[in-house]
């Protein structure tokens, strides 16, 4: 019998999704984080098994062939990301889970989990602000930033599929809104 509930976060890179995911994890101990797999290299202090399972593109493809993913996407050219069945199936028996996935992954997970899932789309006030945030974060090359920003407009069109859009302009307000929305969902 599956017990946990699911909260899915999707957003263009730089919107503040990771910031809000970490905040929710700190505030509500009922959530575990779904650690995804990726074929991109670690960034900053990221650790294998904590932030992601880091695989080479060949290792990632072998896991696709072995049907190890609930969903996966090639989010940027040559950069695969996916949710491992082994991660979520056991975890969901015990607790609620947070997902941080790209917009297509968000739609697929929402379809998969249905009413058991709350799909939250985090939106930056503008593309310009999004670029500035990625530059200020200081861990992504300019080339990679441009790749991410150029995809952001397309990604924003997916907000209509979410249960809830949170505009992350003022962070304090966004955190407040997030807590209200999630508490309501957990109590339903
Ligand atoms: P994402 O996970 O969506 O790529 P991050 O959470 O890493 O985004 O946020 C991108 C950068 O913007 C980080 O340096 C973060 O500290 C900063 N940030 C997040 N929310 C806000 C906000 N409301 N106002 C200003 N800066 C923010
Ligand atoms: P980043 O490289 O900034 O960590 O992540 C890039 C994008 O990949 C983000 O939009 C993030 O949410 C997404 N992503 C991370 N894990 C997964 C996953 O398991 N599946 C999908 N579809 N996207 C993911």
């Amino acid at each position: 019998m599956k017990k946990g509930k699911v909260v899915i976060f999707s957003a263009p890179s730089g919107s503040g999704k990771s910031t809000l995911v970490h905040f929710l994890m700190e505030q509500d101990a009922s959530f575990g984080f779904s650690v995804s797999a990726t074929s991109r290299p670690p960034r900053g202090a990221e650790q294998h098994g904590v932030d992601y399972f880091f695989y080479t593109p060949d290792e990632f493809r072998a896991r696709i062939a072995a049907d190890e993913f609930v969903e996966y996407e090639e989010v940027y050219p040559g950069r695969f990301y996916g949710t491992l069945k082994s991660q979520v199936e056991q975890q969901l028996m015990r607790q609620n889970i947070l997902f941080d996935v790209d917009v297509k992954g968000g739609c697929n997970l929402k379809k998969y989990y249905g009413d058991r899932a709350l799909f939250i789309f985090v939106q930056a006030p503008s593309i310009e602000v999004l670029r500035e945030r990625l530059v200020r974060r200081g861990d992504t090359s300019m080339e990679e930033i441009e790749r991410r920003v150029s995809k952001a407009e397309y990604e924003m069109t997916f907000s209509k599929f979410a249960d809830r859009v949170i505009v992350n302009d003022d962070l304090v307000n966004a955190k407040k809104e997030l807590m209200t929305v999630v508490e309501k969902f957990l109590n339903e």
Side-chain angles (χ1 to χ4, degrees):
M1 164 57 180
K2 293 183 172 178
K3 279 170 66 181
K5 284 194 171 189
V6 166
V7 177
I8 305 158
F9 284 84
S10 292
S13 181
S15 306
K17 180 171 36 121
S18 307
T19 304
L20 291 174
V21 165
H22 285 128
F23 171 73
L24 183 53
M25 293 281 291
E26 281 162 21
Q27 296 295 308
D28 189 335
S30 74
F31 281 103
F33 181 64
S34 163
V35 181
S36 295
T38 181
S39 68
R40 78 152 165 77
R43 203 166 59 202
E46 286 179 335
Q47 288 175 41
H48 183 80
V50 177
D51 301 281
Y52 282 105
F53 295 99
F54 294 99
Y55 299 129
T56 63
D58 281 349
E59 284 170 339
F60 202 104
R61 285 192 195 94
R63 286 172 193 274
I64 295 172
D67 195 26
E68 289 188 21
F69 293 103
V70 179
E71 62 79 35
Y72 69 90
E73 296 290 335
E74 187 174 2
V75 179
Y76 305 105
R79 299 281 203 244
F80 291 93
Y81 296 79
T83 304
L84 289 160
K85 289 180 184 169
S86 58
Q87 273 298 295
V88 292
E89 284 172 0
Q90 292 297 317
Q91 219 176 335
L92 257 182
M93 307 282 269
R94 306 188 307 270
Q95 62 184 158
N96 300 323
I97 303 195
L98 284 181
F99 288 86
D100 174 342
V101 293
D102 88 305
V103 294
K104 287 187 185 163
C107 292
N108 288 334
L109 288 172
K110 173 67 190 179
K111 239 179 261 162
Y112 186 78
Y113 289 113
D115 288 345
R116 204 169 155 205
L118 175 70
F119 180 11
I120 296 177
F121 193 93
V122 182
Q123 201 169 291
S126 68
I127 299 274
E128 221 15 76
V129 168
L130 198 132
R131 180 187 279 107
E132 281 165 21
R133 286 185 186 166
L134 286 174
V135 171
R136 214 169 320 122
R137 195 172 71 187
D139 60 4
T140 307
S141 70
M142 284 312 291
E143 192 193 346
E144 179 83 24
I145 287 176
E146 286 314 319
R147 200 177 307 144
R148 287 171 180 239
V149 169
S150 67
K151 202 181 172 190
E153 211 145 337
Y154 164 72
E155 290 174 319
M156 298 252 207
T157 64
F158 283 76
S159 65
K160 59 179 175 286
F161 301 116
D163 296 313
R164 189 73 191 225
V165 177
I166 295 183
V167 179
N168 178 21
D169 187 356
D170 178 81
L171 186 56
V172 175
N173 286 341
K175 285 176 173 173
K176 241 185 253 165
E177 187 179 349
L178 173 64
M179 291 315 293
T180 307
V181 170
V182 170
E183 274 162 22
K184 180 169 175 286
F185 169 66
L186 292 181
N187 289 326
E188 272 168 7

